[in-house]
Amino acid sequence: MRRARLAATAVALATAFAGCTLAPRYRRPEAPVAPAFPAAAAAGAGAPAAADLGWRDVFGDPRLQALVALALERNRNLRVATLNVELVRAQYRIQRAAELPTLIGQGGGTVQRVPASLSPSGKVIHHAEAWSVGAAVTGFELDLWGRVRSLSDAALEQWFATDEARRSAQLSLVAEVANQYLASRALDAEVALARSTLETVSASAALTRRAAEAGRVADIDLRTAESQVATARFNVAAAEQQRALAQDGLELLVGGPIPATLPEPIPLDAQPVVADLPAGIPSEVLVRRPDVLAAEHALRAANANIGAARAAFFPRIALTGTAGTASNELSGLFGAAGGAAAWSFTPSITLPIFAGGALRANLDAAEVRKSIQIAQYEGAIQGAFREVADALVSRGWLEQQLEAQTARVAAEQERFRLSDRRYRAGIDSYLTVLTAQRDLFAAQQQLIQTRLSSLANRVALYKALGGGWRERTAAAADG
């Protein structure tokens, strides 16, 4: 019994030492970026951070909201990312189990016949029996130096990193659905513009044809008008094609056909997308982004692996023990009297003496991997900073471009109207009308693209600031 108590004490000590590791103390690296974002307006007092704004509150179009909800439910890439989290979680649980003793039940028996020549008494022993049943702890490592604990910590950080990667995949999916939807609305506007232009040039060509038949205009003007009609028909077909392709891309992101019961889309020029997104302070904003958090968890895992590599230089102690009952008869093993108590305790120690430099090389490799992870973490922060900075800088310029392009379209519309009147009055040639009509069409197309760029910039800024994880704004959700 004294030895059995000794074995139990050893297991208790193993549990006590499990909290000790040789891993370096973790310190988060300083963010290698400027203390403030360029072109960032000061956030109002009490205003929630962009990362806390729900996507339903940022994207006001009910149809877009429904599409984002469908994508989060059915998108296959997001589903794979979620399953990867479950996989890494299971792997962590496997590694974590090594910190605890493995207790197994076992039983066995032996029945044999012993001939007289081998019997000590010289008599025939027809048979001999030996039966045993009990529990065993096999090969449990007494983790004095924290090797097993460090490996568990590394597995835990990998689990966290994979979960952050899933969150990052969700942010990207929300932004992709929003951008694809806005692109579809832009193509709706381009189709409408192309059809409107086709109607205009068709009516103008009809007037020109009648004038040519009456001999009031030259035949070249008629052919030019007919060419305009053909070009407008081409533009309609091209715009319809691009809209169909955009619809296919949207269905891929959503994960299936788009239901016919969704709300009607809001036109591009009336899209209710939040424009005022507070940038905040880089040191607070960037460390909340899932991709940056994933890089930090990978760094923590590399830090923990250094502890495991250091512990490999020290002795490794393993414990094996069994306890149960034994009897020379099977009936006696489970009978009323029971068998005799039986136990064994087998500790072992392994001390590394010479490994050809493998242990030192393994530690060097672990330290290099940590240096790599530090560089990748800093690179993730710098990349995130640039995404936010680019979106903020572009926001102001895009507003100016949209204002200028709107004024240009108004001027081109008036120019086309005057050119057409002067042509009908016989003052200018049809070439003047043709040039004005082409310039108007190009300006209207550019206005659509500028509006799309402005909306896409808001989506990019929302994603860059870590938005897209919440469905509803944090303050509203908490209330």
Side-chain angles (χ1 to χ4, degrees), residues 112-170:
Q112 63 180 0
R113 182 181 184 279
V114 181
S117 59
L118 299 178
S119 173
S121 63
K123 297 179 181 180
V124 175
I125 300 178
H126 294 287
H127 69 277
E129 298 183 20
W131 301 91
S132 65
V133 65
V137 175
T138 59
F140 172 59
E141 181 175 344
L142 194 62
D143 196 26
L144 298 178
W145 321 111
R147 187 188 72 86
V148 179
R149 176 60 184 273
S150 293
L151 293 175
S152 295
D153 290 343
L156 178 63
E157 295 298 337
Q158 289 295 342
W159 173 21
F160 291 158
T162 306
D163 190 47
E164 294 298 339
R166 175 183 64 88
R167 293 183 60 215
S168 182
Q170 175 171 328

Side-chain angles (χ1 to χ4, degrees), residues 236-383:
V236 170
E240 293 277 12
Q241 177 193 10
Q242 292 301 317
R243 183 170 64 176
L245 294 177
Q247 182 73 6
D248 291 342
L250 192 57
E251 289 184 355
L252 177 62
L253 291 173
V254 171
I258 297 176
T261 56
L262 296 187
E264 289 297 317
I266 296 177
L268 183 71
D269 57 357
Q271 275 295 314
V273 179
V274 172
D276 186 17
L277 293 172
I281 303 172
S283 60
E284 298 176 359
V285 172
L286 300 181
V287 294
R288 295 183 59 186
R289 280 185 36 147
D291 56 340
V292 175
L293 289 173
E296 184 174 10
H297 285 303
L299 173 57
R300 287 178 175 270
N303 192 72
N305 281 326
I306 292 179
R310 287 177 175 177
F313 286 88
F314 295 88
R316 187 177 302 180
I317 301 174
L319 306 178
T320 300
T322 62
T325 60
S327 175
N328 58 3
E329 294 182 0
L330 182 59
S331 60
L333 187 63
F334 297 102
W343 61 269
S344 69
F345 176 56
T346 311
S348 65
I349 184 169
T350 303
L351 177 63
I353 297 176
F354 177 74
L359 296 179
R360 180 72 248 181
N362 187 52
L363 177 57
D364 292 342
E367 291 175 343
V368 170
R369 290 191 188 98
K370 179 181 178 180
S371 298
I372 292 174
Q373 291 299 331
I374 290 175
Q376 291 180 341
Y377 172 74
E378 293 174 342
I381 288 184
Q382 289 178 336

